[in-house]
């Protein structure tokens, strides 16, 4: 996922997380780690609604040309 994300500067990371306090904490902790590793915060989008209650889902959003 990171190779694909880094292949184009306009790509964004989408992180879907389970609802509730625990899911929110997981998502923001991951976001914090990614920012500390050099990913700009504006390139990370967090949204609730992961399909499983014990997993985060990460996908790449590519710009439409």
């Amino acid at each position: 996922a990171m190779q694909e994300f880094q292949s184009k500067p306009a790509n964004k990371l989408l992180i879907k997380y389970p609802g509730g306090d625990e899911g929110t904490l997981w998502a923001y902790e991951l976001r914090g780690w990614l920012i500390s590793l050099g990913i700009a915060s504006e390139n990370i989008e967090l949204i609730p609604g992961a399909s499983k209650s014990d997993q985060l889902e990460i996908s790449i959003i590519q710009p439409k040309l």
Side-chain angles (χ1 to χ4, degrees):
M2 291 309 296
Q3 277 185 323
E4 184 179 339
F5 170 71
Q6 293 174 332
S7 70
K8 294 180 182 161
N11 284 347
K12 294 188 182 268
L13 278 175
L14 174 65
I15 301 171
K16 285 178 122 179
Y17 60 93
D21 292 338
E22 190 173 1
T24 302
L25 288 172
W26 288 344
Y28 279 90
E29 184 174 354
L30 176 58
R31 182 180 181 270
W33 278 102
L34 293 170
I35 291 169
S36 73
L37 292 170
I39 296 175
S41 61
E42 61 268 7
N43 290 336
I44 302 170
E45 186 174 339
L46 302 176
I47 59 170
S51 59
K52 295 188 179 181
S53 63
D54 61 347
Q55 294 180 2
L56 297 173
E57 299 171 13
I58 300 173
S59 56
I60 309 301
I61 300 172
Q62 297 179 344
K64 295 186 179 192
L65 299 174

